[in-house]
Amino acid sequence: MKEYITDTEGAFLIPAKSGDVITIKYLGMYAKTLVITNEKHYEIELQNKTEILDEVLLKEEIRKPVTYDYFDPIKSVEYINGKKYPVSFVNKKDDFYKGARNVFQLIGGRIGPIRIGVQYGRLKFMHLKQPLRCFVDGVERDVDNLDPATIIRSSVYLSPDHSRSQIIFTTRNNPDIQKQMLALNGISAKNNSYNEVLQTLTFDKIEADYLSEISVAKSTKIKLENYRKLKNSYLNKVEFYVDMALYFQRIDVSAATEVRNDFALLAKNNVKALRVLAYLYESANANVQAQKIYERIVAMDPGNPQSYRDLALVFQENGEYNKALELYINMLGDKILGVDFSQLYPAISNELQRLVGLHKNKIDYQRLPNDWLAVGFNVDVRMTLAWSDANALFEFQFVNPENKFYNWNSKGAEGDYKIPVEEFIVDDAPSGKWLVNIRHTGFEDEISIPPYLKYTLYKDFGTTKESKTVKLVRLDKQLDKVTLDSFVY
């Protein structure tokens, strides 16, 4: 199972002989099948799936701006002691000075009209000769000794008379950042009443000819023999091994192990396939095998922040707590050269808090800075998403007990693709039954290795009562929205 990469002109070399059949696929394009002859060079043109329109005349239309009855905690307001403050300027991590040794160097001259001045012999943030009150994660404090590496956002509230203006710092330990506060961040938006009735996604809904051939056999022994005969017809088909492993996991664990081992032999040199295999192991609670796969992925893909986060998490599952701690220190401290973990800070910060909260007596926690630690950390419901292909397009939807929905898209707000890891927290939210829906927004079967999603639901995350459910979903088969999960909060 190999992948071949083109150069900047789209050219590539691939070993093949006369009579071989090659299928070329690309996102957003129709696949093309080519039969190899004695020719050495081929020019392959793919057809775009997107409809090309004739010339369209656009007419100006004036619309009122869309308004919402909720706040975006990153862009519009900050909360201090429960009071809402509209902020005038917001800066994020990428805006800051990278070599800063203190907070004044970090953002000096980078927040609108705010300047650095001296009052009573100490540095202060100033606006129109007035010092600003400084808040860190909602608590007023001096910022002289605040570690600049922990700051992920700063914002400014300018009071009308300038006497109560504030500069507000958010660090990676801020509860709102860690929790993402689902109940506040979209669930209460206007025009989002939910009235759909969807199918629930189960393994029984998966349709494939090879599953039909296996399921007709009455005994597990015959089913396994049929699998062994079929697998030679499905070499390099990731979906075949995933479906077979999931099928046998329900009826015979040893048979499922055989399927996963066969898959491992095929996937050993392909990062995407290995990541799917690791998800498959985790869904079967085979975390020792998953760790071996994640260690190989880190070695093969050392520039991908997702690889380190996956490995740290599985270290926790396997009781290798100090190895996990070392990775979290390196990730949150930006100590892995050339790898940017900033998009993962909320998720890995929460996972570090879990490690400390549950296993403090088994790790050298004193290595951690005080502002990395949270007192009494616990989360009611935490959901994490990890997907095998960063280019996979899908929509994730939550529906609360009041039938209000919130949509999240794997495509970035400005069209940028995200690191394929995301977390969602339900805390202090409406009680009752919640729904989790999913829909693929790309095309089906457009790449050789289908994209898979690992969905993990934690209850009482970070406490001794914690429970966990892992589900593996083939994304590109969910062209119609389906219910992936439901839980009672």
Side-chain angles (χ1 to χ4, degrees), residues 378-382 458-467:
N378 69 83
V379 172
D380 292 342
V381 175
R382 179 181 188 248
Y458 297 90
K459 289 188 175 182
D460 298 311
F461 179 75
T463 75
T464 55
K465 297 186 297 180
E466 179 184 289
S467 63

Side-chain angles (χ1 to χ4, degrees), residues 182-210:
L182 258 181
L184 297 176
N185 196 15
I187 290 294
S188 59
K190 291 180 179 177
N191 303 319
N192 70 328
S193 295
Y194 182 78
N195 54 14
E196 297 178 90
V197 178
L198 304 177
Q199 284 192 332
T200 299
L201 181 62
T202 65
F203 185 83
D204 295 328
K205 298 289 189 345
I206 299 175
E207 296 180 358
D209 292 339
Y210 47 76

Side-chain angles (χ1 to χ4, degrees), residues 356-417:
V356 175
L358 293 179
H359 310 293
K360 187 175 181 179
N361 62 335
K362 298 176 183 176
I363 61 172
D364 185 10
Y365 73 91
Q366 293 181 340
R367 297 178 61 194
L368 300 171
N370 288 334
D371 54 0
W372 284 22
L373 301 174
V375 179
F377 177 81
N378 69 83
V379 172
D380 292 342
V381 175
R382 179 181 188 248
M383 288 164 280
T384 62
L385 310 180
W387 52 107
S388 60
D389 190 329
N391 294 317
L393 300 176
F394 64 97
E395 181 182 82
F396 208 64
Q397 183 183 69
F398 304 90
V399 185
N400 73 10
E402 298 171 352
N403 282 330
K404 297 293 184 180
F405 69 82
Y406 162 67
N407 291 337
W408 176 89
N409 202 295
S410 65
K411 197 172 184 178
E414 297 177 357
D416 296 329
Y417 291 103

Side-chain angles (χ1 to χ4, degrees), residues 61 148 151 165 436:
E61 180 180 356
I151 299 173
S165 297
V436 179

Side-chain angles (χ1 to χ4, degrees), residues 290-353:
Q291 178 177 320
K292 294 176 182 178
I293 302 300
Y294 283 131
E295 288 173 333
R296 180 167 178 78
I297 290 173
V298 168
M300 294 176 64
D301 194 15
N304 187 343
Q306 180 187 14
S307 305
Y308 299 92
R309 179 262 177 180
D310 290 338
L311 183 57
L313 199 56
V314 82
F315 276 153
Q316 284 201 56
E317 296 297 328
N318 290 329
E320 299 195 37
Y321 304 122
N322 277 301
K323 284 187 177 181
L325 177 67
E326 185 69 29
L327 264 183
Y328 287 123
I329 289 173
N330 289 333
M331 288 188 288
L332 289 168
D334 291 326
K335 294 180 179 181
I336 300 177
L337 189 64
V339 184
D340 180 8
F341 292 95
S342 57
Q343 285 190 44
L344 294 181
Y345 282 161
I348 58 182
S349 293
N350 281 337
E351 286 156 6
L352 172 61
Q353 302 300 338

Side-chain angles (χ1 to χ4, degrees), residues 101-104 122-123 141-147:
R101 291 184 302 238
N102 58 55
V103 71
F104 297 101
R122 297 179 63 182
L123 290 175
R141 55 166 282 189
D142 291 329
V143 295
D144 306 57
N145 298 320
L146 180 61
D147 183 358

